[in-house]
Amino acid sequence: MSGILRIGIACFAGYGGSGVVATELGRELARAGHKIHFISGQVPFRLLQGEFFENIYYHEVETLTYDALPAQFYGLAMSSKMTQIAIDEDLDLIHAHYAVPHAISGILAKQVLMPKDLRVVTTLHGTDITLVGRAPSFFPLTKWAIEHSDAVTTVSKWLRTETDREFGLTKPIQVIYNFVDTNRFTPGHSRCHREHFARPEEKIVLHVSNFRPVKRLHDVIAVFSIIARKMPAKLILIGDGPERERALELARSLDVMNRTYFLGRQTNIENYYAIADLFLFPSEYESFGVAALEALSSGVPVVATRGSGLSEVVEDGVTGFLAPVGDVEGLARSAMTILNDHELSAVMSEAGRRRATCCFRAETIRDHYLAVYRAVLEGRKP
Ligand code: GMT
């Protein structure tokens, strides 16, 4: 096996966390000289930003639209594409991000290619287990794909426990945390003018997500309305999704619309983190919560919910505070404790940045994945 690996990365192209992690990992691997073949429905959106890498290739999965067919069969088209790319590019392995359908497509491609041995590494990201994979319509195939993967990783211990519980696996699962580009998400580095959003005496509270129900966007608005009654503050919301209309309505009814910026989807989000005083993340659960890590790396204290992967990212009382899911009063109290105490905020900001740079550096996590790839290719247990 040569030092340079040829890796197919299957991922979603959109704004979801799994696509972001897959794309950033691919970029890191390409930077280290490996040949990366992204296989996706569209160009992953973080690939569209910035640098050019000669080691990155992109292969679009073409689905079929035909009146007589009930669906576009993305999963099958993905599997076909994987099979073809594995042959054409002589791939060493496929790294499937998200169980449904990517891991399933990967295992199908593996079987099609036999006796050629295509190795498949599967990374579980969260909703692929907690929502989609455990649904009766997908459960048997998801379990089959996990069991037949050459290695399986989860992005937190919490998700490993959930996966074991849901699927009763005997297979060992390795935890490899998400990571952050600590050069990009850096304290104080912003092309954004803070004064465009807030007066000097106003604090800036930030939330970034895909506005899905699991993010509890209504809690963001409710928490902020409590803060706004007690102190001068502005709320910046970045992202878009199914909960936007409900959030707008709530912002109007709680009378915080004139203090809230709905900025929609943004690409250069590091600029907003760098001007924020606090990051608010009241999710129902997060297998990890990349956005919280991006905040820590930017030196922004995080107030989030406890009980899921977020507890592995945010140290309660050190880099921010954790409160029970739905405890709007408690979340608001924690937020105001930080916003009102300049010294505490500075200490937490430093602790967060330190934690991001020491525990969640992109290069370190890339090397953990490389160790898994090499173990799988050498036929060892990762
Ligand atoms: O947050 C989402 O619903 C998107 C989802 C995804 O798969 O794209 O994010 C999940 O994967 C991220 C990357 O590993 C994690 O950081 C998120 O915590 C996780 N989301 C949930 O568990 C809700």
Side-chain angles (χ1 to χ4, degrees), residues 40-61:
S40 190
Q42 285 170 334
V43 184
F45 92 101
R46 282 225 176 160
L47 264 198
L48 296 168
Q49 304 166 23
E51 303 145 272
F52 163 76
F53 292 108
E54 58 181 345
N55 292 330
I56 288 186
Y57 306 81
Y58 166 64
H59 308 272
E60 185 163 321
V61 175

Side-chain angles (χ1 to χ4, degrees), residues 64 77 93 163 184 218 239 275 298 316 340 348 352:
L64 191 64
L93 61 92
T163 308
R184 180 176 165 201
H218 46 94
I275 59 162
S298 308
D316 195 13
N340 279 319
M348 286 187 159

Side-chain angles (χ1 to χ4, degrees), residues 107-122:
I107 301 304
L108 197 53
K110 184 182 173 74
Q111 308 230 328
V112 172
L113 284 167
M114 274 175 180
K116 180 184 160 66
D117 193 4
L118 176 68
R119 306 293 163 103
V120 177
V121 173
T122 293

Side-chain angles (χ1 to χ4, degrees), residues 67-333:
D67 290 352
L69 300 178
Q72 293 189 334
F73 302 117
Y74 168 79
L76 292 180
M78 168 60 88
S79 194
S80 265
K81 195 59 144 189
M82 286 172 166
T83 308
Q84 199 56 57
I85 303 302
I87 297 168
D88 293 348
E89 304 293 344
D90 196 18
L91 294 184
D92 291 303
L93 61 92
I94 294 270
H95 188 168
H97 289 263
Y98 215 81
V100 184
H102 298 145
I104 298 167
S105 308
I107 301 304
L108 197 53
K110 184 182 173 74
Q111 308 230 328
V112 172
L113 284 167
M114 274 175 180
K116 180 184 160 66
D117 193 4
L118 176 68
R119 306 293 163 103
V120 177
V121 173
T122 293
T123 291
L124 305 173
H125 281 272
T127 45
D128 46 353
I129 295 300
T130 55
L131 240 138
V132 186
R134 69 193 278 267
S137 47
F138 287 116
F139 186 89
L141 273 189
T142 308
K143 185 168 176 172
W144 172 77
I146 293 173
E147 276 172 347
H148 285 80
S149 295
D150 294 282
V152 178
T153 72
T154 56
V155 298
S156 65
K157 293 178 192 156
W158 177 82
L159 184 58
R160 179 172 61 186
T161 307
E162 289 298 298
T163 308
D164 279 339
R165 196 171 55 79
E166 287 293 345
F167 292 93
L169 303 171
T170 45
K171 196 182 184 67
I173 294 179
Q174 192 173 336
V175 174
I176 302 184
Y177 283 132
N178 286 165
F179 55 91
V180 64
D181 180 345
T182 51
N183 295 321
R184 180 176 165 201
F185 293 91
T186 308
H189 266 254
S190 183
R191 280 185 279 142
C192 224
H193 298 291
R194 195 192 147 92
E195 58 273 22
H196 283 175
F197 295 96
R199 294 193 303 271
E201 71 280 12
E202 284 176 322
K203 299 291 183 184
I204 296 183
V205 176
L206 176 69
H207 171 82
V208 179
S209 77
N210 52 24
F211 290 18
R212 294 213 188 111
V214 70
K215 306 294 174 185
R216 297 185 69 96
L217 192 57
H218 46 94
D219 281 359
V220 175
I221 307 283
V223 169
F224 179 72
S225 77
I226 298 175
I227 299 172
R229 265 182 257 134
K230 300 271 167 56
M231 60 194 298
K234 289 278 170 62
L235 173 64
I236 297 182
L237 296 171
I238 295 180
D240 207 345
E243 291 292 297
R244 179 171 35 90
E245 288 309 312
R246 190 174 160 211
L248 278 164
E249 219 176 284
L250 189 62
R252 279 184 214 111
S253 72
L254 293 176
D255 203 20
V256 289
M257 202 53 205
N258 58 349
R259 289 164 173 246
T260 305
Y261 296 93
F262 281 83
L263 296 187
R265 286 179 184 156
Q266 297 281 331
T267 42
N268 299 311
I269 49 174
E270 64 276 18
N271 294 296
Y272 297 98
Y273 282 105
I275 59 162
D277 296 296
L278 186 101
F279 188 74
L280 195 52
F281 213 38
S283 300
E284 182 86 33
Y285 62 84
E286 287 291 334
S287 62
F288 183 89
V290 181
L293 178 57
E294 289 173 344
L296 297 185
S297 181
S298 308
V300 181
V302 177
V303 168
T305 39
R306 73 163 61 94
S308 62
L310 280 170
S311 305
E312 294 167 58
V313 182
V314 181
E315 286 172 296
D316 195 13
V318 180
T319 58
F321 288 117
L322 299 173
V325 175
D327 181 6
V328 169
E329 293 286 339
L331 288 161
R333 253 193 325 274

